[in-house]
Amino acid sequence: MPAVQVEGRVSSGFEAIADTFTDNFRHRGDTAASCVVYAQGAPVVDIWAGQTARGAWTPDTRTVMFSVSKGVTTVCLLMAAERGLIDLDAPVAKYWPEFAENGKEATTVRQLLAHQAGLVAPEADVTVEDLRACQPVADTLARQAPAWAPGTAYAYHALTFGWLAGEVLRRATGLRPGQWLREHVADPLNLTMTYGADPASADFHPLADPLPITDPEAAALMAAALGAPMIERSISLGGVFDATRITQEANTEAWLSVEIPAGNLVTNARSLARLYAATVGEVDGVRLLGADVVRDALVVRSEGRPFVGPDAGGGWGTGFMTSSTHRPMIGPGSFGHDGLGGCLGFAHLESEIAFAYQTAQPGGLPDDRANALCRALNACL
C-alpha cells in the first residue's frame, strides 16, 4: 500500500508506539486511525493518519466506539458511588423498586456491572421508538425473569448493560447517562464525547465495512456465538438491528439517534485518553475517580466460562475489563474497555498511564492492532 503519512507528536522514549501505529497501516489493515497516550496527566503520544469515505482523518474526527461505551458508563456510575449516591453492593431495587420482580429483588448494582444479572437480552421485542424513549427498554428488563440466579454466573450483556446501569444512575441521581457524562465528565475535561451523534456532523466519520475473518477457528466461534438465540437477540434486540451487520448498523440514524450507554459512544482518541487519564490522576486540575474506588473496581468479579457463548479469555471487574489473555493492555492493574471493530481505551493506576486507540476500519479476526500498540507502550515503559 502507499506510504502512510502519520501526523502529530511523540515524546522522546515513546517512538516505538508511532512505529507500531505505522505498521498497523502497512500490515494490519488500518485505513484511518488515531492513538493517544497520557502519562502523569499529560499527553506523550498524539498521532493520527489516514482517510475515510468522508475525507481526511484528523485528531478531532469522531466515530462510534461500540463497547468502549461500557467503560465510560462505568466511570459515570463509579463517580456517583464515590459521591455516596449509589451503594454498589446494595440491591438494584433500592433505587429502582420495579426491578424486584421475578426473583431479582436481591440483585446488586455490582452484579449488574459485572454482567451477572442474567438479563443478557430483552425477552420482549423493542422498537427504535422504545430506544429513543429509553424508559420502555428499562421497563422491559425490570419485568422479566433472569436467565440464571443473579450472582451465580455471568454472560456478556452486550447492550442491556447500558440500560440497566443507566437506569440505576437515573433513579439515584436524576440524570441519564448522557446528562451525567456531559455535566460531570465531558464539560469539566473539555471532551468531545456523547452517546449517539448527528451523522451529518462535519467531524463524524462513518465506519468502513469490516475486514474479513481469516482464521477458521475464529470464524467458527463467531458463527457459534451468533447462532445462540440469546446472544443474537442481545445485539438485534428482537429485530431492531441486524446482529450480523452491526458495524454497518452503526452508521445509521437508528443507531446514532438514540442513547445506548453500552454501545454507541461517539468520540475521538484525544477525548477518550484524556478521560481515562483523569481516572488515575489529575488532568488540568480535574480528577474523576479516587484511587480506592479504582482499586475496588479492579477486583475481578467475572471470568472463565460464561453462561452462554464461548470463553473469550476476558475478565471483568466492576464494569471494567481487566487485563487478560484476550486484552492484556499493559498488564495487571490495567482497566478499561475495548469495542467491536478494534477500538480500546484504558488506564493503569500505579503508572498513571492512559491509552486510547480509535480506528475507522473494523478489524477482522484475528485483530492485533490495539494489542500491538499496547506491547509497544509496555516496551517504552
Side-chain angles (χ1 to χ4, degrees):
M1 65 171 291
V4 62
Q5 180 64 45
V6 177
E7 300 183 71
R9 59 177 290 270
V10 178
S11 296
S12 177
F14 290 90
E15 294 87 354
I17 297 171
D19 293 340
T20 302
F21 184 77
T22 301
D23 285 345
N24 279 350
F25 282 79
R26 291 175 175 164
H27 306 300
R28 302 186 185 98
D30 250 335
T31 56
S34 297
C35 183
V36 179
V37 177
Y38 271 65
Q40 293 79 53
V44 293
V45 175
D46 185 353
I47 52 178
W48 62 92
Q51 299 270 334
T52 75
R54 188 162 280 187
W57 184 271
T58 78
D60 298 317
T61 293
R62 297 183 301 148
T63 55
V64 174
M65 290 203 188
F66 293 111
S67 287
V68 168
S69 313
K70 293 182 180 71
V72 172
T73 298
T74 294
V75 170
C76 295
L77 268 289
L78 294 179
M79 289 175 70
E82 187 170 22
R83 297 178 189 197
L85 301 172
I86 296 173
D87 179 350
L88 297 173
D89 295 305
V92 172
K94 175 180 178 179
Y95 310 101
W96 183 3
E98 299 90 335
F99 189 83
E101 289 192 30
N102 284 314
K104 303 195 302 298
E105 62 278 355
T107 305
T108 66
V109 177
R110 195 185 297 277
Q111 288 166 349
L112 288 190
L113 295 176
H115 299 272
Q116 296 176 1
L119 300 169
V120 172
E123 290 178 345
D125 291 351
V126 298
T127 66
V128 173
E129 290 70 30
D130 291 334
L131 298 185
R132 291 199 178 105
C134 196
Q135 196 59 43
V137 186
D139 290 345
T140 292
L141 295 171
R143 286 191 296 267
Q144 76 184 51
W148 62 83
T152 64
Y154 89 98
Y156 190 55
H157 288 53
L159 295 181
T160 57
F161 175 99
W163 291 299
L164 294 167
E167 185 64 7
V168 172
L169 184 68
R170 186 184 76 84
R171 295 292 184 111
T173 71
L175 298 178
R176 283 170 57 162
Q179 294 171 311
W180 184 283
L181 178 63
R182 183 181 67 251
E183 294 181 20
H184 296 290
V185 180
D187 285 353
L189 284 167
N190 193 28
L191 310 181
T192 305
M193 182 176 286
T194 55
Y195 298 111
D198 178 357
S201 299
D203 64 348
F204 176 81
H205 284 226
L207 300 176
D209 285 340
L211 295 172
I213 299 175
T214 56
D215 178 29
E217 184 176 347
L221 284 173
M222 179 70 75
L226 289 178
M230 187 183 295
I231 294 180
E232 189 280 333
R233 192 175 182 83
S234 76
I235 301 169
S236 72
L237 305 177
V240 177
F241 303 115
D242 182 347
T244 65
R245 291 177 50 83
I246 202 65
T247 51
Q248 293 93 335
E249 295 274 20
N251 297 326
T252 66
E253 184 181 359
W255 186 268
L256 291 166
S257 65
V258 301
E259 184 172 306
I260 307 176
N264 77 343
L265 186 79
V266 176
T267 189
N268 53 50
R270 276 185 174 174
S271 290
L272 185 61
R274 187 171 170 86
L275 177 148
Y276 272 107
T279 67
V280 293
E282 284 195 3
V283 177
D284 294 335
V286 177
R287 180 159 185 167
L288 299 179
L289 297 174
D292 287 345
V293 173
V294 171
R295 290 190 186 98
D296 177 66
L298 273 167
V299 176
V300 175
R301 310 285 174 176
S302 300
E303 63 181 342
R305 186 77 182 181
F307 181 85
V308 64
D311 178 4
W316 281 268
T318 300
F320 293 126
M321 274 185 160
T322 56
S323 177
S324 67
T325 55
H326 162 69
R327 192 61 80 190
M329 296 177 265
I330 57 171
S334 304
F335 64 95
H337 219 289
D338 62 8
L340 179 70
C343 295
L344 174 65
F346 72 86
H348 186 272
L349 181 61
E350 304 307 327
S351 65
E352 293 186 37
I353 291 290
F355 169 96
Y357 166 66
Q358 172 196 13
T359 177
Q361 178 60 71
L365 294 174
D367 179 5
D368 196 43
R369 293 170 298 171
N371 284 352
L373 289 165
C374 290
R375 291 193 295 273
L377 174 55
N378 244 334
C380 296
L381 299 176

